[in-house]
């Protein structure tokens, strides 16, 4: 009887995503465990000094040190690569480690980057503060405007960097058009796909070069660990990203990799149900608040584009109240079931006021330019029964006079 210890890419890449999310990348040890083994080890022992030398020179395949390789971490990387349709993937300690590595590994002083205006606060810190400090020029544009990318190109433009849907304004970027412009000009497009995950949106199929993740969000999906990942061609991952990460060390811990492996098993199920729940809650809120930006609702200005490139809307959206920060905070304070929390992608419903939390570090001027208003509230719709969520929102809205 043959025990399946490894996997053949030519077979696993033909599996449907729900199958890949459960079985992709699994490598069994000599014990034949069904659930992935957790290898809590920093080092590896060799049978002889010659083997050690051969591992370091690359003549022998095998692991040398867990900053560079770990069996549990590799299982996760292979699983994410399969889901993404990428040749290769490297996981990172956090989403921000993934974004930082994906950009710094390929940029140098004198280069230019074009970035999306609406973005996770720390991603804006990278483009606005960190990169310029090292002599990398950045231009920030409204990423909903495809032409703005083309207009911003300079002879030294190396990277387009954006997220879609974007945090927190739910701006949608036309992946096919923008990645097409990047290709035409020899520019590398780096897409932060945290909100959609590969189940709902696969940027590489639209011509993106690199996909970067916060796996903390939907991939873990239960609010337990921080993790990140970067996926792309084998050439990019092995020859551009790897020299940077193996020497700077933003490595994911095997334990966190194992938790994300377990999270991925239910990703397909969770994100589809959370998308349905999010639509139910969105339809309710649409009747009660002055403004809602929900990619799954026809009232979103880019609804058609969002639904063209995403299989479903995902769990996150924003809405606005007219009474600014005071009313937004009062609404959050009146919640009974939904938690006040700035995390997203959790199976619990969570709400936050971006301008005083996730985007606190972005100047007021930039927040307003991005569209992050004082009355804006972001919600992550979880796996609870949507009727209970709607009842909670209903009583909280009444409590603040809405
Ligand atoms: C959360 C998030 C990040 C950062 O990820 P961490 O895992 O918290 O470091 C980056 N981009 C987006 C869009 C996010 O939502």
């Amino acid at each position: 009887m043959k025990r399946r210890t490894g996997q053949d890419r030519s077979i696993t890449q033909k599996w449907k995503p729900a199958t890949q999310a459960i079985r992709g990348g699994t490598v069994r040890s000599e014990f034949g465990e069904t659930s992935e083994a957790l290898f809590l080890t920093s080092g590896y022992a060799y049978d002889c000094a010659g083997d050690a030398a051969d591992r370091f020179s690359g003549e022998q395949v095998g692991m040398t040190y867990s900053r560079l390789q770990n069996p549990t971490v590799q299982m996760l990387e292979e699983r994410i690569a399969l889901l993404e349709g990428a040749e290769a993937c490297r996981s990172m300690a956090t989403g921000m480690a993934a974004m930082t590595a994906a950009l710094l590994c390929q940029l140098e002083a004198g280069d230019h980057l074009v970035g999306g205006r609406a973005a996770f606060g720390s991603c804006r810190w990278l483009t606005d503060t960190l990169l310029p400090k090292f002599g990398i020029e950045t231009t920030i544009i409204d990423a909903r405007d495809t032409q703005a990318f083309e207009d911003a190109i300079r002879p030294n433009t190396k990277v387009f960097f954006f997220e879609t849907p974007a945090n927190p304004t739910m701006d949608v970027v036309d992946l096919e058009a923008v990645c097409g412009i990047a290709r035409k000009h020899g520019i590398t497009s780096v897409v932060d796909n945290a909100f959609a995950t590969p189940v709902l949106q696969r940027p590489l199929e639209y011509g993106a070069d690199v996909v970067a993740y916060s796996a903390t969000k939907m991939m873990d999906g239960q609010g337990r660990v921080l993790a990140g990942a970067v996926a792309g061609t084998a050439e990019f991952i092995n020859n551009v990203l790897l020299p940077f990460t193996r020497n700077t060390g933003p490595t994911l811990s095997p334990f966190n990799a194992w938790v994300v492996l377990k999270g991925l098993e239910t990703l397909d199920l969770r994100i589809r149900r959370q998308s349905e729940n999010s639509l139910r809650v969105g339809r309710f809120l649409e009747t009660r608040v002055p403004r809602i930006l929900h990619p799954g609702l026809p009232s979103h200005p880019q609804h058609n584009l969002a639904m063209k490139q995403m299989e479903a809307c995902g769990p996150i959206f924003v809405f606005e109240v007219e009474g600014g920060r005071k009313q937004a905070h009062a609404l959050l304070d009146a919640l009974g079931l939904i938690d006040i929390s700035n995390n997203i992608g959790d199976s619990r419903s969570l709400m936050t006021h971006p301008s005083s939390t996730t985007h606190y570090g972005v100047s007021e001027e930039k927040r307003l330019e991005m569209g992050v208003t004082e009355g804006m509230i972001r919600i992550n719709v979880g796996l609870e029964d949507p009727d209970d969520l709607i009842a909670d929102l209903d009583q909280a809205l009444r409590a603040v006079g809405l």
Side-chain angles (χ1 to χ4, degrees):
M1 199 175 64
K2 190 168 167 287
R3 186 163 39 79
R4 285 179 297 169
T5 48
Q7 290 186 339
D8 182 344
R9 253 290 174 103
S10 67
I11 296 167
T12 56
Q13 69 186 7
K14 291 197 190 107
W15 288 343
K16 300 270 193 290
T19 309
Q20 289 169 337
I22 293 169
R23 292 181 170 272
T26 303
V27 178
R28 289 190 172 135
S29 79
E30 65 203 88
F31 298 110
E33 65 283 351
T34 48
S35 175
E36 298 80 1
L38 171 50
F39 289 90
L40 285 178
T41 181
S42 8
Y44 304 88
Y46 313 92
D47 288 342
C48 62
D51 277 1
D54 288 348
R55 293 261 181 103
F56 273 79
S57 71
E59 276 163 63
Q60 193 181 89
V61 178
M63 314 226 163
T64 55
Y65 187 55
S66 281
R67 172 154 37 80
L68 316 179
Q69 318 94 359
N70 176 277
T72 310
V73 171
Q74 276 193 357
M75 286 191 256
L76 175 66
E77 291 170 342
E78 175 65 7
R79 187 167 296 178
I80 294 174
L82 284 169
L83 284 167
E84 207 57 61
E87 287 174 8
C89 167
R90 291 295 291 196
S91 58
M92 306 286 159
T94 66
M96 283 322 301
M99 303 304 153
T100 306
L103 298 178
L104 281 184
C105 76
Q106 57 176 322
L107 288 165
E108 60 185 51
D111 287 344
H112 175 240
L113 170 146
V114 181
R117 185 164 82 182
F120 187 69
S122 295
C123 291
R124 279 297 301 260
W125 185 83
L126 292 184
T127 58
D128 298 3
T129 307
L130 184 75
L131 296 182
K133 208 167 119 181
F134 291 98
I136 299 156
E137 303 174 321
T138 61
T139 305
I140 303 303
I141 54 143
D142 180 346
R144 292 171 297 184
D145 179 1
T146 301
Q147 186 61 40
F149 279 96
E150 188 131 37
D151 294 346
I153 294 173
R154 299 178 191 170
N156 57 341
T157 305
K158 289 279 167 60
V159 170
F160 283 176
F161 176 51
F162 58 88
E163 45 187 81
T164 180
N167 189 4
T169 54
M170 307 310 288
D171 286 2
V172 178
V173 181
D174 188 332
L175 282 168
E176 195 169 10
V178 171
C179 297
I181 293 168
R183 280 274 158 96
K184 200 173 80 191
H185 294 271
I187 294 164
T188 303
S189 47
V190 179
V191 181
D192 179 343
N193 201 33
F195 272 36
T197 81
V199 172
L200 301 186
Q201 172 173 280
R202 307 216 300 172
L204 298 179
E205 288 177 0
Y206 291 95
D209 299 300
V210 179
V211 184
Y213 275 101
S214 169
T216 313
K217 311 295 168 57
M218 281 308 298
M219 286 190 175
D220 167 28
Q222 286 141 91
R224 301 166 295 194
V225 298
L226 295 171
V230 182
T233 60
E235 153 66 22
F236 178 82
I237 298 296
N238 298 329
N239 299 336
V240 183
L241 181 74
L242 196 53
F244 179 87
T245 56
R246 63 185 293 143
N247 295 303
T248 56
T251 311
L252 181 63
S253 91
F255 180 78
N256 290 1
W258 183 84
V259 173
V260 178
L261 277 164
K262 296 292 109 189
L264 285 175
E265 291 184 6
T266 54
L267 175 64
D268 192 88
L269 205 58
R270 284 184 285 104
I271 199 154
R272 288 178 202 282
R273 175 64 79 88
Q274 285 183 242
S275 296
E276 280 171 30
N277 290 356
S278 165
L279 261 185
R280 286 270 309 274
V281 173
R283 287 197 188 107
F284 162 76
L285 278 172
E286 195 165 37
T287 64
R288 295 284 288 277
V289 296
R291 184 150 184 259
I292 177 166
L293 285 163
H294 189 308
L297 293 176
S299 59
H300 187 291
Q302 296 172 291
H303 170 67
N304 291 339
L305 174 62
M307 292 301 101
K308 185 190 123 196
Q309 48 191 43
M310 292 167 77
E311 259 194 60
C313 61
I316 305 146
F317 67 92
V318 290
F319 61 94
E320 281 173 35
V321 293
E322 265 159 6
R325 177 176 299 213
K326 195 156 174 266
Q327 195 176 32
H329 277 195
L331 178 64
L332 294 177
D333 291 342
L335 293 167
L337 170 64
I338 302 171
D339 290 308
I340 304 171
S341 172
N342 47 282
N343 196 16
I344 48 171
D346 198 302
S347 52
R348 282 163 187 73
S349 293
L350 309 171
M351 279 166 68
T352 196
H353 178 243
S355 86
S356 56
T357 60
T358 54
H359 288 69
Y360 168 74
V362 179
S363 72
E364 190 179 357
E365 184 197 335
K366 276 186 194 154
R367 280 204 300 267
L368 292 176
E369 181 195 71
M370 258 190 231
V372 180
T373 64
E374 286 295 299
M376 179 176 274
I377 295 173
R378 189 186 69 192
I379 178 164
N380 169 75
V381 180
L383 288 170
E384 303 96 335
D385 190 307
D387 287 341
D388 289 332
L389 301 174
I390 289 169
D392 191 30
L393 286 163
D394 181 44
Q395 65 79 26
L397 287 164
R398 280 176 208 282
V400 301
L402 286 167

